[in-house]
Amino acid sequence: MMTLQEEIIKELGVQPVIEPKLEIKKSIEFIKAYLYANLAMKRLVLGISGGQDSTLVGRLAQLSMEEMRLETGDSSYRFLAIRLPYGEQVDEEDAKTALKFIQADECLVVNIKQPVDAQIDSLRVAGVKVSDFVKGNIKARQRMITQYAIAGERSGVVLGTDHAAENITGFFTKYGDGGADLLPLFRLNKRQGKALLKVLGADSAIYTKTPTADLEDERPGVADELTLGVTYEEIDDYTEGKEVSPTSKEVIENWWKKTQHKRHLPVTIFDDFWK
């Protein structure tokens, strides 16, 4: 009988050792295969924050589209990088560094402050006071609304940045950044993503930057690890089948259990959701 750790690793598909160049090729081929299976889709759409994950997926997306153009002779295959700040982004320079590395075919900027604030005002009028945490989730969902609006107008596919270290902890907003069409990094953990960026020639500042969701106004730029109560090194060790401290193991597995609903499609009467 498998341990919970073994069950989680199997579900996430993480390998203890990877060859970065091979994984880069796998992700690109995965994206291209989806496009070949859905020939009406000619664009890839992704929100770029300036962090490790969106930078990696962005570069993979651009490389995929360049290969699609070469293989098909169709110049309409293009990658759209979308900047989605709420007002002024504190780490705007990081986003610029990421975009310079990604070299996207096209970059759009859509400020989400107005629609987010309008939603909160509407809730206030209805007598609902929105906490800073819930406001952060509204931001994440508004960003995904925007990406799908652009994808809808441009016959595009929305990419997501979810990876093993994020998935195991449920550290994403349900129907926000957790909602996408394709997840090119699924199967990789945080340190493996760094390895891919190194091989791709990214500026080290991109993958050594402290990871942050940066959704809360009252705690701008708060580190993911502070919120999670465990380091990404420990999470990565766990997903690679290594031993971690009993305390870290308990924290990781508790996150897995209590965020299970985020990894599931809407529940129906046929789902054994109580198990």
Side-chain angles (χ1 to χ4, degrees):
M1 185 175 178
M2 290 193 294
T3 65
L4 179 56
Q5 183 177 8
E6 289 169 337
E7 289 177 7
I8 293 171
I9 292 171
K10 181 179 179 181
E11 185 168 331
L12 296 179
V14 180
Q15 298 298 317
V17 179
I18 65 164
E19 170 49 56
K21 289 183 180 179
L22 177 59
E23 297 305 325
I24 289 168
K25 181 177 176 60
K26 280 184 183 179
S27 289
I28 291 173
E29 292 301 321
F30 166 66
I31 294 170
K32 287 163 51 184
Y34 186 88
L35 294 173
Y36 277 120
N38 296 275
L39 294 175
M41 304 295 190
K42 301 289 187 178
R43 307 286 192 278
L44 295 177
V45 175
L46 174 69
I48 304 297
S49 66
Q52 173 185 319
D53 305 329
S54 67
T55 302
L56 176 54
V57 176
R59 186 57 187 152
L60 293 171
Q62 181 59 35
L63 292 171
S64 298
M65 292 317 239
E66 290 173 7
E67 290 192 13
M68 287 298 292
R69 290 196 289 267
L70 282 173
E71 292 172 12
T72 65
D74 188 342
S75 61
S76 60
Y77 282 106
R78 294 175 63 79
F79 168 50
L80 309 181
I82 318 297
R83 288 283 299 108
L84 298 157
Y86 174 80
E88 294 184 13
Q89 184 171 325
V90 176
D91 56 352
E92 182 64 29
E93 290 305 311
D94 292 338
K96 291 178 180 178
T97 299
L99 288 170
K100 183 178 179 181
F101 166 70
I102 292 169
Q103 299 179 35
D105 292 315
E106 186 177 351
C107 183
L108 305 178
V109 180
V110 180
N111 199 307
I112 64 166
K113 189 176 191 311
Q114 184 176 353
V116 168
D117 290 351
Q119 175 69 80
I120 292 171
D121 286 342
S122 296
L123 288 166
R124 177 180 52 77
V125 171
V128 179
K129 184 178 180 181
V130 176
S131 68
D132 190 45
F133 178 80
V134 171
K135 180 181 179 180
N137 283 331
I138 292 173
K139 291 178 187 177
R141 292 184 177 117
Q142 182 59 49
R143 289 186 171 111
M144 196 51 69
I145 287 171
T146 304
Q147 289 174 73
Y148 269 102
I150 293 170
E153 287 296 322
R154 304 287 186 90
S155 298
V157 177
V158 177
L159 300 179
T161 60
D162 189 40
H163 52 81
E166 182 177 86
N167 194 280
I168 193 174
T169 55
F171 203 64
F172 55 86
T173 298
K174 193 173 184 177
Y175 305 125
D177 53 318
D181 296 315
L182 294 183
L183 301 176
L185 303 185
F186 194 88
R187 81 192 180 284
L188 302 173
N189 60 30
K190 199 75 170 177
R191 72 163 62 105
Q192 291 170 346
K194 289 181 181 179
L196 267 63
L197 278 173
K198 289 178 183 178
V199 169
L200 288 167
D203 188 321
S204 62
I206 293 172
Y207 52 81
T208 58
K209 177 184 177 181
T210 300
T212 172
D214 198 25
L215 292 176
E216 299 174 56
D217 292 346
E218 296 172 7
R219 298 195 305 166
V222 62
D224 293 350
E225 295 175 329
L226 182 62
T227 302
L228 292 170
V230 65
T231 68
Y232 276 117
E233 282 293 314
E234 292 168 307
I235 295 171
D236 290 345
D237 282 345
Y238 183 94
T239 59
E240 291 173 9
K242 300 174 183 175
E243 287 190 20
V244 297
S245 72
T247 299
S248 295
K249 183 174 184 288
E250 182 179 10
V251 170
I252 293 168
E253 292 182 350
N254 281 341
W255 276 116
W256 173 262
K257 292 172 185 175
K258 69 184 180 182
T259 60
Q260 194 65 269
H261 67 98
K262 291 187 175 185
R263 292 179 288 272
H264 200 293
L265 291 171
V267 177
T268 73
I269 197 169
F270 300 107
D271 291 310
D272 293 335
F273 60 86
W274 57 84
K275 291 183 179 180

